[in-house]
């Protein structure tokens, strides 16, 4: 099988279920941004996080493939039974991960500058992509029927990536730089 099919040369792509839509369709924007998020997490993994964090990031990458499939599959299609829709259990699992990493991070006192180790800096970038993916899903939910649990999941995921970045810096002995209001002078 060839990687290129030429079916998208006209600016359309296929959703899971054979519907063809514009590559600029809000649903495609949403799952495309989730794909970008998955790649950003891959970059964080390439920087060599701890073994435990790497395993958690791999879990998240697999979950994000489920998120993408969820977004790429319209409700009510016969293909829906072939995917795993995100649900409350997925959100609860992320919340437990947040609590676990919160124990390894310094106490939260306010906004901090993104950065630190390459792992932490990459996780901060991934966090911002997660926020953008969440905004795209919100736009989708305003225009079409989609799984609202995806939006909540992405919201929690951005929180998780934030606390993971803070925990990675803490483990490396890297201090955080707090936002200094009007501190540009």
């Amino acid at each position: 099988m060839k990687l290129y099919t030429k079916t998208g040369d006209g600016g359309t792509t296929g959703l899971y279920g054979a519907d063809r839509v514009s590559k600029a369709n809000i649903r495609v924007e949403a799952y495309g941004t989730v794909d970008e998020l998955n790649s950003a997490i891959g970059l964080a993994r390439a920087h060599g996080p701890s073994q435990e964090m790497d395993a958690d990031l791999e879990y998240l990458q697999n979950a994000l493939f489920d998120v993408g499939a969820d977004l790429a599959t319209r409700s009510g299609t016969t293909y829906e039974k072939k995917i795993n829709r995100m649900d409350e259990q997925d959100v609860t699992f992320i919340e437990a991960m947040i609590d676990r990493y919160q124990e390894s991070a310094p106490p939260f006192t306010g906004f901090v500058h993104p950065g630190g180790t390459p792992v932490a800096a990459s996780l901060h970038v991934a966090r911002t992509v997660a926020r953008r993916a969440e905004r795209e899903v919100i736009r989708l939910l305003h225009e079409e029927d989609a799984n609202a649990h995806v939006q909540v999941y992405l919201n929690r995921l951005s929180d998780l990536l934030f606390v993971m970045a803070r925990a990675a810096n803490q483990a490396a002995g890297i201090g955080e730089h707090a936002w200094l209001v009007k501190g540009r002078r």
Side-chain angles (χ1 to χ4, degrees):
M1 179 178 142
K2 291 185 178 185
L3 181 62
Y4 56 92
T5 62
K6 302 181 184 182
T7 58
D9 290 353
T12 64
T13 190
L15 298 178
Y16 190 51
D19 290 348
R20 297 221 45 97
V21 297
S22 167
K23 289 182 177 182
N25 178 282
I26 188 64
R27 185 174 294 275
V28 178
E29 290 288 344
Y31 71 70
T33 306
V34 168
D35 184 38
E36 185 180 344
L37 170 57
N38 205 333
S39 295
I41 290 174
L43 179 61
R45 291 184 69 202
H47 286 298
S50 70
Q51 188 174 5
E52 176 187 16
M53 186 177 285
D54 188 60
D56 288 338
L57 292 171
E58 181 180 18
Y59 169 85
L60 294 172
Q61 286 188 294
N62 283 308
L64 286 172
F65 277 115
D66 287 337
V67 170
D70 193 324
L71 292 169
T73 309
R74 287 193 166 123
S75 297
T77 67
T78 58
Y79 293 88
E80 192 172 18
K81 63 184 167 214
K82 296 180 180 182
I83 65 162
N84 290 317
R85 294 264 185 221
M86 303 310 287
D87 60 24
E88 184 61 37
Q89 284 182 294
D90 295 304
V91 173
T92 301
F93 189 80
I94 290 284
E95 289 170 347
M97 291 176 78
I98 292 169
D99 294 341
R100 181 165 41 92
Y101 278 98
Q102 191 73 39
E103 293 173 9
S104 305
F108 181 71
T109 58
F111 289 107
V112 296
H113 296 177
T117 67
V119 169
S122 297
L123 289 169
H124 278 296
V125 171
R127 171 187 56 81
T128 65
V129 177
R131 289 282 187 213
R132 183 160 35 89
E134 180 188 7
R135 292 189 302 272
E136 295 292 346
V137 170
I138 291 168
R139 284 186 196 93
L140 172 62
L141 289 166
H142 285 263
E143 293 185 22
E144 292 186 34
D145 182 42
N147 182 359
H149 289 294
V150 169
Q151 182 263 315
V152 176
Y153 183 85
L154 291 169
N155 186 338
R156 294 301 184 287
L157 179 55
S158 65
D159 293 337
L160 173 60
L161 294 169
F162 176 72
V163 74
M164 288 175 98
R166 298 185 72 231
N169 279 337
Q170 178 82 1
I174 303 292
E176 296 178 318
H177 299 277
W179 172 36
L180 302 175
V181 179
K182 296 192 179 204
R184 295 167 288 168
R185 297 183 183 136

